Amino acid sequence: MRDNRAPNGQPYRRIMDGVAPLIDAMLRAEILLNGAVIHERLRTTAT
């Protein structure tokens, strides 16, 4: 994967960067969670 950078040389911020710690915590708490459950939980916490 290429390291895409903004014109100022800084790396672009990915959409997932903001929620990655939350997803990591969910997976640590319940290791068998699947993507659909994580998606639903993120959707309900964002509203």
Side-chain angles (χ1 to χ4, degrees):
M1 186 169 88
R2 290 179 40 204
D3 185 24
N4 293 328
R5 297 194 176 266
N8 65 2
Q10 296 295 316
Y12 284 110
R13 184 165 169 82
R14 296 174 302 178
I15 293 171
M16 292 300 297
D17 287 348
V19 294
L22 178 60
I23 293 171
D24 287 343
M26 285 183 196
L27 290 171
R28 270 189 239 102
E30 300 177 54
I31 195 69
L32 298 178
L33 280 181
N34 65 28
V37 173
I38 293 171
H39 179 268
E40 182 64 24
R41 289 184 182 179
L42 290 173
R43 190 177 66 80
T44 57
T45 59
T47 57

mmCIF file of all heavy atoms in Angstrom:
data_model
loop_
_atom_site.group_PDB
_atom_site.id
_atom_site.type_symbol
_atom_site.label_atom_id
_atom_site.label_comp_id
_atom_site.label_asym_id
_atom_site.label_seq_id
_atom_site.Cartn_x
_atom_site.Cartn_y
_atom_site.Cartn_z
ATOM 1 N N MET A 1 0.841 -1.184 0.000
ATOM 2 C CA MET A 1 0.000 0.000 0.000
ATOM 3 C C MET A 1 0.882 1.241 0.000
ATOM 4 O O MET A 1 1.863 1.329 0.719
ATOM 5 C CB MET A 1 -0.906 -0.005 1.236
ATOM 6 C CG MET A 1 -1.908 1.127 1.218
ATOM 7 S SD MET A 1 -3.175 0.956 2.478
ATOM 8 C CE MET A 1 -2.403 1.755 3.841
ATOM 9 N N ARG A 2 0.530 2.185 -0.815
ATOM 10 C CA ARG A 2 1.304 3.430 -0.899
ATOM 11 C C ARG A 2 0.994 4.328 0.283
ATOM 12 O O ARG A 2 -0.099 4.326 0.827
ATOM 13 C CB ARG A 2 0.949 4.157 -2.187
ATOM 14 C CG ARG A 2 1.471 3.458 -3.406
ATOM 15 C CD ARG A 2 1.087 4.161 -4.676
ATOM 16 N NE ARG A 2 1.170 5.599 -4.549
ATOM 17 C CZ ARG A 2 0.489 6.433 -5.307
ATOM 18 N NH1 ARG A 2 -0.319 5.978 -6.224
ATOM 19 N NH2 ARG A 2 0.607 7.734 -5.156
ATOM 20 N N ASP A 3 1.972 5.105 0.663
ATOM 21 C CA ASP A 3 1.803 6.073 1.742
ATOM 22 C C ASP A 3 1.405 7.409 1.117
ATOM 23 O O ASP A 3 2.263 8.213 0.766
ATOM 24 C CB ASP A 3 3.110 6.195 2.527
ATOM 25 C CG ASP A 3 2.963 7.089 3.740
ATOM 26 O OD1 ASP A 3 1.835 7.237 4.231
ATOM 27 O OD2 ASP A 3 3.977 7.627 4.185
ATOM 28 N N ASN A 4 0.091 7.602 0.931
ATOM 29 C CA ASN A 4 -0.390 8.844 0.335
ATOM 30 C C ASN A 4 -0.259 9.987 1.328
ATOM 31 O O ASN A 4 -0.553 9.840 2.509
ATOM 32 C CB ASN A 4 -1.846 8.701 -0.096
ATOM 33 C CG ASN A 4 -2.004 7.722 -1.224
ATOM 34 O OD1 ASN A 4 -1.115 7.603 -2.040
ATOM 35 N ND2 ASN A 4 -3.103 7.029 -1.258
ATOM 36 N N ARG A 5 0.169 11.121 0.827
ATOM 37 C CA ARG A 5 0.375 12.281 1.689
ATOM 38 C C ARG A 5 -0.318 13.499 1.102
ATOM 39 O O ARG A 5 -0.489 13.617 -0.097
ATOM 40 C CB ARG A 5 1.857 12.556 1.863
ATOM 41 C CG ARG A 5 2.555 11.403 2.571
ATOM 42 C CD ARG A 5 3.921 11.790 3.044
ATOM 43 N NE ARG A 5 4.509 10.710 3.794
ATOM 44 C CZ ARG A 5 4.433 10.603 5.121
ATOM 45 N NH1 ARG A 5 3.819 11.501 5.827
ATOM 46 N NH2 ARG A 5 5.006 9.600 5.740
ATOM 47 N N ALA A 6 -0.685 14.396 1.975
ATOM 48 C CA ALA A 6 -1.286 15.658 1.569
ATOM 49 C C ALA A 6 -0.206 16.528 0.924
ATOM 50 O O ALA A 6 0.992 16.257 1.065
ATOM 51 C CB ALA A 6 -1.882 16.359 2.789
ATOM 52 N N PRO A 7 -0.608 17.581 0.222
ATOM 53 C CA PRO A 7 0.392 18.457 -0.415
ATOM 54 C C PRO A 7 1.439 19.024 0.558
ATOM 55 O O PRO A 7 2.561 19.305 0.175
ATOM 56 C CB PRO A 7 -0.453 19.574 -1.012
ATOM 57 C CG PRO A 7 -1.780 18.944 -1.259
ATOM 58 C CD PRO A 7 -1.965 17.958 -0.132
ATOM 59 N N ASN A 8 1.081 19.146 1.834
ATOM 60 C CA ASN A 8 2.047 19.666 2.807
ATOM 61 C C ASN A 8 2.987 18.594 3.354
ATOM 62 O O ASN A 8 3.801 18.860 4.225
ATOM 63 C CB ASN A 8 1.316 20.367 3.959
ATOM 64 C CG ASN A 8 0.478 19.416 4.782
ATOM 65 O OD1 ASN A 8 0.455 18.215 4.530
ATOM 66 N ND2 ASN A 8 -0.233 19.950 5.749
ATOM 67 N N GLY A 9 2.868 17.355 2.836
ATOM 68 C CA GLY A 9 3.753 16.283 3.262
ATOM 69 C C GLY A 9 3.242 15.459 4.425
ATOM 70 O O GLY A 9 3.809 14.435 4.766
ATOM 71 N N GLN A 10 2.178 15.901 5.055
ATOM 72 C CA GLN A 10 1.601 15.164 6.181
ATOM 73 C C GLN A 10 0.752 14.011 5.665
ATOM 74 O O GLN A 10 0.107 14.129 4.631
ATOM 75 C CB GLN A 10 0.728 16.090 7.041
ATOM 76 C CG GLN A 10 1.489 17.208 7.707
ATOM 77 C CD GLN A 10 2.484 16.681 8.709
ATOM 78 O OE1 GLN A 10 2.186 15.795 9.485
ATOM 79 N NE2 GLN A 10 3.691 17.229 8.686
ATOM 80 N N PRO A 11 0.698 12.886 6.387
ATOM 81 C CA PRO A 11 -0.163 11.786 5.945
ATOM 82 C C PRO A 11 -1.637 12.182 6.076
ATOM 83 O O PRO A 11 -2.010 12.939 6.976
ATOM 84 C CB PRO A 11 0.172 10.647 6.896
ATOM 85 C CG PRO A 11 1.007 11.209 7.966
ATOM 86 C CD PRO A 11 1.469 12.566 7.561
ATOM 87 N N TYR A 12 -2.445 11.686 5.141
ATOM 88 C CA TYR A 12 -3.887 11.924 5.228
ATOM 89 C C TYR A 12 -4.450 11.221 6.450
ATOM 90 O O TYR A 12 -4.002 10.143 6.818
ATOM 91 C CB TYR A 12 -4.597 11.392 3.990
ATOM 92 C CG TYR A 12 -4.436 12.251 2.761
ATOM 93 C CD1 TYR A 12 -3.671 11.829 1.692
ATOM 94 C CD2 TYR A 12 -5.063 13.481 2.664
ATOM 95 C CE1 TYR A 12 -3.521 12.608 0.558
ATOM 96 C CE2 TYR A 12 -4.932 14.272 1.539
ATOM 97 C CZ TYR A 12 -4.159 13.830 0.487
ATOM 98 O OH TYR A 12 -4.025 14.605 -0.625
ATOM 99 N N ARG A 13 -5.448 11.816 7.050
ATOM 100 C CA ARG A 13 -6.144 11.179 8.172
ATOM 101 C C ARG A 13 -7.198 10.246 7.588
ATOM 102 O O ARG A 13 -7.992 10.637 6.763
ATOM 103 C CB ARG A 13 -6.794 12.232 9.052
ATOM 104 C CG ARG A 13 -7.449 11.663 10.265
ATOM 105 C CD ARG A 13 -7.742 12.765 11.267
ATOM 106 N NE ARG A 13 -8.591 12.308 12.332
ATOM 107 C CZ ARG A 13 -8.170 11.639 13.393
ATOM 108 N NH1 ARG A 13 -6.891 11.384 13.505
ATOM 109 N NH2 ARG A 13 -9.006 11.248 14.328
ATOM 110 N N ARG A 14 -7.171 9.004 8.019
ATOM 111 C CA ARG A 14 -8.138 8.031 7.532
ATOM 112 C C ARG A 14 -9.436 8.137 8.319
ATOM 113 O O ARG A 14 -9.443 8.535 9.485
ATOM 114 C CB ARG A 14 -7.590 6.619 7.652
ATOM 115 C CG ARG A 14 -6.362 6.403 6.773
ATOM 116 C CD ARG A 14 -5.767 5.057 7.009
ATOM 117 N NE ARG A 14 -5.408 4.947 8.422
ATOM 118 C CZ ARG A 14 -4.887 3.878 8.978
ATOM 119 N NH1 ARG A 14 -4.662 2.815 8.266
ATOM 120 N NH2 ARG A 14 -4.583 3.849 10.260
ATOM 121 N N ILE A 15 -10.535 7.766 7.711
ATOM 122 C CA ILE A 15 -11.844 7.816 8.360
ATOM 123 C C ILE A 15 -11.843 6.962 9.625
ATOM 124 O O ILE A 15 -12.400 7.347 10.654
ATOM 125 C CB ILE A 15 -12.945 7.349 7.390
ATOM 126 C CG1 ILE A 15 -13.081 8.350 6.245
ATOM 127 C CG2 ILE A 15 -14.271 7.160 8.107
ATOM 128 C CD1 ILE A 15 -13.976 7.902 5.123
ATOM 129 N N MET A 16 -11.188 5.818 9.586
ATOM 130 C CA MET A 16 -11.203 4.892 10.716
ATOM 131 C C MET A 16 -10.324 5.330 11.881
ATOM 132 O O MET A 16 -10.455 4.785 12.971
ATOM 133 C CB MET A 16 -10.749 3.502 10.257
ATOM 134 C CG MET A 16 -11.709 2.821 9.325
ATOM 135 S SD MET A 16 -13.328 2.558 10.047
ATOM 136 C CE MET A 16 -12.932 1.456 11.387
ATOM 137 N N ASP A 17 -9.439 6.292 11.664
ATOM 138 C CA ASP A 17 -8.522 6.697 12.737
ATOM 139 C C ASP A 17 -9.257 7.136 14.001
ATOM 140 O O ASP A 17 -8.801 6.873 15.102
ATOM 141 C CB ASP A 17 -7.596 7.812 12.271
ATOM 142 C CG ASP A 17 -6.532 7.318 11.304
ATOM 143 O OD1 ASP A 17 -6.362 6.089 11.170
ATOM 144 O OD2 ASP A 17 -5.884 8.167 10.668
ATOM 145 N N GLY A 18 -10.389 7.792 13.840
ATOM 146 C CA GLY A 18 -11.117 8.292 15.005
ATOM 147 C C GLY A 18 -11.807 7.214 15.813
ATOM 148 O O GLY A 18 -11.985 7.363 17.023
ATOM 149 N N VAL A 19 -12.211 6.129 15.175
ATOM 150 C CA VAL A 19 -12.948 5.083 15.883
ATOM 151 C C VAL A 19 -12.130 3.821 16.132
ATOM 152 O O VAL A 19 -12.615 2.892 16.763
ATOM 153 C CB VAL A 19 -14.259 4.721 15.135
ATOM 154 C CG1 VAL A 19 -15.231 5.879 15.150
ATOM 155 C CG2 VAL A 19 -13.975 4.254 13.738
ATOM 156 N N ALA A 20 -10.905 3.780 15.635
ATOM 157 C CA ALA A 20 -10.077 2.583 15.809
ATOM 158 C C ALA A 20 -9.888 2.199 17.279
ATOM 159 O O ALA A 20 -10.009 1.011 17.610
ATOM 160 C CB ALA A 20 -8.732 2.759 15.123
ATOM 161 N N PRO A 21 -9.639 3.146 18.193
ATOM 162 C CA PRO A 21 -9.508 2.745 19.602
ATOM 163 C C PRO A 21 -10.793 2.127 20.164
ATOM 164 O O PRO A 21 -10.735 1.184 20.952
ATOM 165 C CB PRO A 21 -9.177 4.054 20.324
ATOM 166 C CG PRO A 21 -8.575 4.920 19.268
ATOM 167 C CD PRO A 21 -9.288 4.562 18.006
ATOM 168 N N LEU A 22 -11.942 2.627 19.729
ATOM 169 C CA LEU A 22 -13.216 2.070 20.188
ATOM 170 C C LEU A 22 -13.394 0.643 19.672
ATOM 171 O O LEU A 22 -13.789 -0.258 20.421
ATOM 172 C CB LEU A 22 -14.373 2.955 19.711
ATOM 173 C CG LEU A 22 -15.779 2.485 20.059
ATOM 174 C CD1 LEU A 22 -15.966 2.370 21.559
ATOM 175 C CD2 LEU A 22 -16.800 3.451 19.469
ATOM 176 N N ILE A 23 -13.076 0.422 18.403
ATOM 177 C CA ILE A 23 -13.186 -0.920 17.835
ATOM 178 C C ILE A 23 -12.213 -1.869 18.532
ATOM 179 O O ILE A 23 -12.568 -3.012 18.859
ATOM 180 C CB ILE A 23 -12.936 -0.891 16.316
ATOM 181 C CG1 ILE A 23 -14.064 -0.118 15.620
ATOM 182 C CG2 ILE A 23 -12.820 -2.301 15.755
ATOM 183 C CD1 ILE A 23 -13.815 0.160 14.159
ATOM 184 N N ASP A 24 -11.006 -1.418 18.793
ATOM 185 C CA ASP A 24 -10.032 -2.249 19.511
ATOM 186 C C ASP A 24 -10.562 -2.654 20.882
ATOM 187 O O ASP A 24 -10.432 -3.803 21.299
ATOM 188 C CB ASP A 24 -8.704 -1.515 19.679
ATOM 189 C CG ASP A 24 -7.922 -1.409 18.386
ATOM 190 O OD1 ASP A 24 -8.225 -2.158 17.434
ATOM 191 O OD2 ASP A 24 -7.004 -0.575 18.339
ATOM 192 N N ALA A 25 -11.181 -1.707 21.591
ATOM 193 C CA ALA A 25 -11.736 -2.003 22.913
ATOM 194 C C ALA A 25 -12.877 -3.015 22.810
ATOM 195 O O ALA A 25 -12.982 -3.921 23.648
ATOM 196 C CB ALA A 25 -12.220 -0.721 23.581
ATOM 197 N N MET A 26 -13.732 -2.861 21.804
ATOM 198 C CA MET A 26 -14.829 -3.823 21.603
ATOM 199 C C MET A 26 -14.281 -5.222 21.372
ATOM 200 O O MET A 26 -14.775 -6.203 21.938
ATOM 201 C CB MET A 26 -15.686 -3.426 20.397
ATOM 202 C CG MET A 26 -16.596 -2.274 20.603
ATOM 203 S SD MET A 26 -17.540 -2.062 19.074
ATOM 204 C CE MET A 26 -18.188 -0.424 19.307
ATOM 205 N N LEU A 27 -13.261 -5.322 20.528
ATOM 206 C CA LEU A 27 -12.700 -6.634 20.215
ATOM 207 C C LEU A 27 -11.973 -7.242 21.407
ATOM 208 O O LEU A 27 -11.991 -8.458 21.601
ATOM 209 C CB LEU A 27 -11.764 -6.535 19.012
ATOM 210 C CG LEU A 27 -12.474 -6.279 17.687
ATOM 211 C CD1 LEU A 27 -11.449 -5.988 16.598
ATOM 212 C CD2 LEU A 27 -13.347 -7.458 17.297
ATOM 213 N N ARG A 28 -11.338 -6.408 22.223
ATOM 214 C CA ARG A 28 -10.679 -6.935 23.425
ATOM 215 C C ARG A 28 -11.714 -7.474 24.401
ATOM 216 O O ARG A 28 -11.495 -8.486 25.051
ATOM 217 C CB ARG A 28 -9.833 -5.868 24.100
ATOM 218 C CG ARG A 28 -8.423 -5.841 23.588
ATOM 219 C CD ARG A 28 -7.530 -4.931 24.406
ATOM 220 N NE ARG A 28 -6.986 -3.924 23.513
ATOM 221 C CZ ARG A 28 -7.403 -2.672 23.402
ATOM 222 N NH1 ARG A 28 -8.356 -2.230 24.182
ATOM 223 N NH2 ARG A 28 -6.864 -1.849 22.545
ATOM 224 N N ALA A 29 -12.857 -6.780 24.509
ATOM 225 C CA ALA A 29 -13.896 -7.197 25.447
ATOM 226 C C ALA A 29 -14.619 -8.454 24.953
ATOM 227 O O ALA A 29 -14.989 -9.312 25.760
ATOM 228 C CB ALA A 29 -14.894 -6.068 25.659
ATOM 229 N N GLU A 30 -14.871 -8.538 23.653
ATOM 230 C CA GLU A 30 -15.605 -9.668 23.083
ATOM 231 C C GLU A 30 -14.895 -10.101 21.803
ATOM 232 O O GLU A 30 -15.211 -9.625 20.713
ATOM 233 C CB GLU A 30 -17.041 -9.272 22.776
ATOM 234 C CG GLU A 30 -17.823 -8.822 24.001
ATOM 235 C CD GLU A 30 -19.225 -8.376 23.624
ATOM 236 O OE1 GLU A 30 -19.931 -9.163 22.983
ATOM 237 O OE2 GLU A 30 -19.580 -7.241 23.961
ATOM 238 N N ILE A 31 -13.968 -11.013 21.933
ATOM 239 C CA ILE A 31 -13.084 -11.383 20.835
ATOM 240 C C ILE A 31 -13.824 -11.976 19.641
ATOM 241 O O ILE A 31 -13.352 -11.913 18.511
ATOM 242 C CB ILE A 31 -11.975 -12.347 21.330
ATOM 243 C CG1 ILE A 31 -10.840 -12.454 20.333
ATOM 244 C CG2 ILE A 31 -12.546 -13.705 21.655
ATOM 245 C CD1 ILE A 31 -10.039 -11.215 20.205
ATOM 246 N N LEU A 32 -15.013 -12.528 19.827
ATOM 247 C CA LEU A 32 -15.733 -13.179 18.735
ATOM 248 C C LEU A 32 -16.729 -12.267 18.027
ATOM 249 O O LEU A 32 -17.533 -12.744 17.232
ATOM 250 C CB LEU A 32 -16.462 -14.429 19.256
ATOM 251 C CG LEU A 32 -15.538 -15.514 19.816
ATOM 252 C CD1 LEU A 32 -16.348 -16.677 20.353
ATOM 253 C CD2 LEU A 32 -14.556 -15.982 18.766
ATOM 254 N N LEU A 33 -16.674 -10.962 18.284
ATOM 255 C CA LEU A 33 -17.567 -10.044 17.587
ATOM 256 C C LEU A 33 -17.323 -10.095 16.089
ATOM 257 O O LEU A 33 -16.187 -10.198 15.641
ATOM 258 C CB LEU A 33 -17.323 -8.603 18.048
ATOM 259 C CG LEU A 33 -17.930 -8.162 19.349
ATOM 260 C CD1 LEU A 33 -17.595 -6.702 19.601
ATOM 261 C CD2 LEU A 33 -19.417 -8.364 19.383
ATOM 262 N N ASN A 34 -18.402 -9.992 15.318
ATOM 263 C CA ASN A 34 -18.205 -9.929 13.871
ATOM 264 C C ASN A 34 -18.415 -8.491 13.386
ATOM 265 O O ASN A 34 -18.840 -7.616 14.136
ATOM 266 C CB ASN A 34 -19.102 -10.923 13.120
ATOM 267 C CG ASN A 34 -20.561 -10.610 13.256
ATOM 268 O OD1 ASN A 34 -20.951 -9.468 13.446
ATOM 269 N ND2 ASN A 34 -21.397 -11.633 13.136
ATOM 270 N N GLY A 35 -18.103 -8.264 12.137
ATOM 271 C CA GLY A 35 -18.161 -6.918 11.577
ATOM 272 C C GLY A 35 -19.538 -6.288 11.644
ATOM 273 O O GLY A 35 -19.667 -5.088 11.850
ATOM 274 N N ALA A 36 -20.596 -7.081 11.474
ATOM 275 C CA ALA A 36 -21.954 -6.544 11.505
ATOM 276 C C ALA A 36 -22.291 -5.982 12.883
ATOM 277 O O ALA A 36 -22.930 -4.928 12.994
ATOM 278 C CB ALA A 36 -22.964 -7.617 11.104
ATOM 279 N N VAL A 37 -21.857 -6.655 13.925
ATOM 280 C CA VAL A 37 -22.121 -6.178 15.287
ATOM 281 C C VAL A 37 -21.355 -4.888 15.548
ATOM 282 O O VAL A 37 -21.901 -3.925 16.097
ATOM 283 C CB VAL A 37 -21.752 -7.262 16.324
ATOM 284 C CG1 VAL A 37 -21.868 -6.721 17.744
ATOM 285 C CG2 VAL A 37 -22.618 -8.488 16.146
ATOM 286 N N ILE A 38 -20.107 -4.838 15.147
ATOM 287 C CA ILE A 38 -19.309 -3.624 15.326
ATOM 288 C C ILE A 38 -19.931 -2.474 14.551
ATOM 289 O O ILE A 38 -20.080 -1.370 15.077
ATOM 290 C CB ILE A 38 -17.854 -3.864 14.896
ATOM 291 C CG1 ILE A 38 -17.183 -4.849 15.857
ATOM 292 C CG2 ILE A 38 -17.074 -2.554 14.840
ATOM 293 C CD1 ILE A 38 -15.827 -5.312 15.422
ATOM 294 N N HIS A 39 -20.346 -2.728 13.323
ATOM 295 C CA HIS A 39 -20.981 -1.691 12.503
ATOM 296 C C HIS A 39 -22.230 -1.159 13.188
ATOM 297 O O HIS A 39 -22.442 0.055 13.280
ATOM 298 C CB HIS A 39 -21.334 -2.253 11.127
ATOM 299 C CG HIS A 39 -22.016 -1.271 10.245
ATOM 300 N ND1 HIS A 39 -23.379 -1.176 10.186
ATOM 301 C CD2 HIS A 39 -21.525 -0.340 9.407
ATOM 302 C CE1 HIS A 39 -23.706 -0.220 9.330
ATOM 303 N NE2 HIS A 39 -22.594 0.305 8.851
ATOM 304 N N GLU A 40 -23.077 -2.034 13.689
ATOM 305 C CA GLU A 40 -24.315 -1.615 14.352
ATOM 306 C C GLU A 40 -24.017 -0.795 15.605
ATOM 307 O O GLU A 40 -24.645 0.228 15.854
ATOM 308 C CB GLU A 40 -25.164 -2.841 14.703
ATOM 309 C CG GLU A 40 -26.477 -2.511 15.358
ATOM 310 C CD GLU A 40 -27.426 -1.718 14.471
ATOM 311 O OE1 GLU A 40 -27.313 -1.771 13.239
ATOM 312 O OE2 GLU A 40 -28.295 -1.015 15.035
ATOM 313 N N ARG A 41 -23.050 -1.219 16.392
ATOM 314 C CA ARG A 41 -22.705 -0.473 17.609
ATOM 315 C C ARG A 41 -22.142 0.902 17.277
ATOM 316 O O ARG A 41 -22.463 1.881 17.944
ATOM 317 C CB ARG A 41 -21.718 -1.262 18.456
ATOM 318 C CG ARG A 41 -22.354 -2.468 19.099
ATOM 319 C CD ARG A 41 -21.387 -3.170 19.994
ATOM 320 N NE ARG A 41 -21.984 -4.358 20.565
ATOM 321 C CZ ARG A 41 -21.352 -5.190 21.379
ATOM 322 N NH1 ARG A 41 -20.097 -4.954 21.721
ATOM 323 N NH2 ARG A 41 -21.953 -6.247 21.840
ATOM 324 N N LEU A 42 -21.302 0.990 16.252
ATOM 325 C CA LEU A 42 -20.768 2.288 15.854
ATOM 326 C C LEU A 42 -21.875 3.191 15.342
ATOM 327 O O LEU A 42 -21.900 4.384 15.611
ATOM 328 C CB LEU A 42 -19.689 2.120 14.789
ATOM 329 C CG LEU A 42 -18.383 1.498 15.257
ATOM 330 C CD1 LEU A 42 -17.486 1.242 14.070
ATOM 331 C CD2 LEU A 42 -17.693 2.381 16.277
ATOM 332 N N ARG A 43 -22.818 2.619 14.585
ATOM 333 C CA ARG A 43 -23.919 3.401 14.043
ATOM 334 C C ARG A 43 -24.796 3.953 15.163
ATOM 335 O O ARG A 43 -25.199 5.110 15.130
ATOM 336 C CB ARG A 43 -24.760 2.529 13.098
ATOM 337 C CG ARG A 43 -25.777 3.305 12.296
ATOM 338 C CD ARG A 43 -26.519 2.400 11.348
ATOM 339 N NE ARG A 43 -27.342 1.422 12.012
ATOM 340 C CZ ARG A 43 -28.555 1.695 12.520
ATOM 341 N NH1 ARG A 43 -29.058 2.881 12.427
ATOM 342 N NH2 ARG A 43 -29.239 0.748 13.119
ATOM 343 N N THR A 44 -25.056 3.157 16.195
ATOM 344 C CA THR A 44 -25.912 3.630 17.275
ATOM 345 C C THR A 44 -25.179 4.592 18.205
ATOM 346 O O THR A 44 -25.809 5.457 18.796
ATOM 347 C CB THR A 44 -26.471 2.457 18.090
ATOM 348 O OG1 THR A 44 -25.402 1.676 18.606
ATOM 349 C CG2 THR A 44 -27.374 1.592 17.234
ATOM 350 N N THR A 45 -23.860 4.479 18.338
ATOM 351 C CA THR A 45 -23.141 5.430 19.194
ATOM 352 C C THR A 45 -22.910 6.763 18.501
ATOM 353 O O THR A 45 -22.700 7.776 19.146
ATOM 354 C CB THR A 45 -21.775 4.864 19.638
ATOM 355 O OG1 THR A 45 -20.981 4.579 18.512
ATOM 356 C CG2 THR A 45 -21.945 3.633 20.499
ATOM 357 N N ALA A 46 -22.969 6.777 17.167
ATOM 358 C CA ALA A 46 -22.733 8.016 16.414
ATOM 359 C C ALA A 46 -23.954 8.919 16.400
ATOM 360 O O ALA A 46 -23.843 10.085 16.092
ATOM 361 C CB ALA A 46 -22.328 7.678 14.975
ATOM 362 N N THR A 47 -25.107 8.390 16.737
ATOM 363 C CA THR A 47 -26.326 9.214 16.698
ATOM 364 C C THR A 47 -26.628 9.840 18.016
ATOM 365 O O THR A 47 -26.099 9.587 19.013
ATOM 366 C CB THR A 47 -27.555 8.376 16.249
ATOM 367 O OG1 THR A 47 -27.696 7.271 17.133
ATOM 368 C CG2 THR A 47 -27.384 7.936 14.821
#
